[in-house]
Amino acid sequence: MSLSGKDKAVVKNFWAKVAPKTAEIGGEALGRMLTAYPQTKIYFSHWSDLSPSSAQVKKHGATIMAAIGDAVSKIDDLTGSLSALSELHAFKLRVDPANFRILAHNIILCMAMFSQEDFTPEVHVSFDMFLQNLSLALSDRYR
Amino acid sequence: MVAWTDFERATIKDIFSKIDYEVVGPAAISRFLIVYPWTQRYFAGFGNLYNAAVVMQGLEKVVKNMDNIKATFTELSTLHSEKLQVDPDNFMSCSFDCLAIVVAAQLGKDFTPEVHAAFQKFLAVVVSSLRRQYY
């Protein structure tokens, strides 16, 4: 399900609108993933606090969203631009790529909560496809 | 038998008392028909989206029978597998994920991570019960 020119434009446009809130959305999304999908906690056992209000969670959520924002700016070559992060997730973090979908769902849910009028079904479908393509690029170096 | 905590029971009842079925049902279904267009294959005979309220009422039945969800859904599971022939992978990944998104948007701040977790567990149980009568 590749991104059309229209999808890319929709994603860039929407990202520009939510830019001021993305750090907060990232922290929320990560906190929700750890709470509602507790099996994902195994990847963060080195943190002392995995609750949604944890400073570690909020900071890392912001880091993730910054990387996603960078991917938006390089949307024409996701595989290339995410190569280093893919190697990190594959060889160092060893995150099962099935989990990318779970975080993507939580990011989308927070997008819907934080920007209700802007996150129409039309924006949702383009953004969902973008996160799917991003997850694919992030899995690229696994094997 | 699913073990529900007091918080989970209260939370699920609370969510269903707060959401407007006439809004949430059609909104969730129309959203996933757009976001996951292959699901449209199942809705040719569904009629108008006012029927979406029927889906919400099905979920409400579960809320009233939280200790016997499997039995509550036996007929519906058979319907989805034998008559409607819905690919069960769609249940969570398409329809209920969109329902969670629409409920989150409606409830806003009230949809805290803890409430979200309880709702997620509820949806997982519903999906499992809907899958039960498939081969």
Side-chain angles (χ1 to χ4, degrees):
Chain A
M1 290 177 242
S2 52
L3 296 164
S4 67
K6 179 165 171 269
D7 291 317
K8 292 179 187 177
V10 165
V11 169
K12 282 181 189 260
N13 190 30
F14 176 69
W15 193 265
K17 281 196 186 135
V18 295
K21 304 182 214 170
T22 50
E24 198 191 342
I25 289 174
E28 266 286 327
L30 188 61
R32 279 167 190 281
M33 183 186 81
L34 294 167
T35 310
Y37 301 83
Q39 70 272 20
T40 57
K41 285 195 215 174
I42 56 166
Y43 294 109
F44 300 94
S45 49
H46 53 287
W47 286 351
S48 53
D49 182 1
L50 290 171
S51 68
S53 53
S54 145
Q56 290 164 311
V57 170
K58 289 185 184 174
K59 180 165 176 260
H60 196 64
T63 303
I64 293 173
M65 292 304 263
I68 295 179
D70 190 53
V72 171
S73 69
K74 295 170 183 164
I75 204 168
D76 291 315
D77 180 24
L78 288 174
T79 311
S81 59
L82 285 165
S83 181
L85 273 174
S86 180
E87 287 196 16
L88 174 74
H89 284 75
F91 303 119
K92 190 153 173 264
L93 306 174
R94 301 222 177 110
V95 178
D96 186 329
N99 291 296
F100 298 154
R101 235 206 106 248
I102 300 178
L103 182 58
H105 167 66
N106 281 284
I107 291 172
I108 285 175
L109 189 140
C110 289
M111 293 292 188
M113 278 176 71
F114 279 65
S115 37
Q116 290 182 32
E117 308 89 37
D118 291 325
F119 201 67
T120 61
E122 291 70 28
V123 168
H124 181 167
V125 61
S126 295
F127 197 70
D128 185 272
M129 285 170 63
F130 165 67
L131 288 181
Q132 270 196 30
N133 279 280
L134 195 150
S135 302
L136 213 59
L138 204 59
S139 327
D140 189 65
R141 308 288 292 155
Y142 270 67
R143 49 178 182 174
Chain B
M1 260 285 276
V2 183
W4 301 101
T5 64
D6 291 339
F7 171 79
E8 284 163 350
R9 279 179 200 276
T11 298
I12 300 303
K13 290 190 196 313
D14 193 49
I15 291 174
F16 277 83
S17 71
K18 281 188 176 135
I19 57 179
D20 180 352
Y21 294 1
E22 304 294 318
V23 169
V24 167
I29 292 191
S30 59
R31 188 169 281 259
F32 80 69
L33 290 173
I34 292 172
V35 179
Y36 308 106
W38 53 91
T39 56
Q40 289 167 26
R41 77 191 303 280
Y42 302 119
F43 287 83
F46 196 62
N48 289 327
L49 279 181
Y50 78 86
N51 279 324
V54 161
V55 174
M56 298 308 294
Q57 281 152 18
L59 288 175
E60 199 194 18
K61 257 171 88 176
V62 180
V63 176
K64 298 194 165 103
N65 291 288
M66 280 172 76
D67 291 311
N68 200 10
I69 296 177
K70 281 188 294 203
T72 309
F73 264 14
T74 309
E75 259 181 60
L76 272 173
S77 179
T78 311
L79 172 76
H80 282 77
S81 87
E82 284 174 23
K83 190 158 175 262
L84 305 173
Q85 293 183 334
V86 178
D87 181 344
D89 284 346
N90 283 312
F91 292 146
M92 189 59 95
S93 64
C94 298
S95 49
F96 290 136
D97 276 353
C98 273
L99 179 61
I101 286 163
V102 168
V103 167
Q106 234 207 24
L107 297 180
K109 294 281 174 220
D110 287 345
F111 198 67
T112 64
E114 291 73 24
V115 166
H116 179 173
F119 194 56
Q120 189 56 42
K121 177 173 166 179
F122 170 77
L123 291 176
V125 173
V126 169
V127 167
S128 162
S129 307
L130 273 175
R131 292 183 84 120
R132 262 198 116 232
Q133 301 304 320
Y134 282 72
Y135 355 93

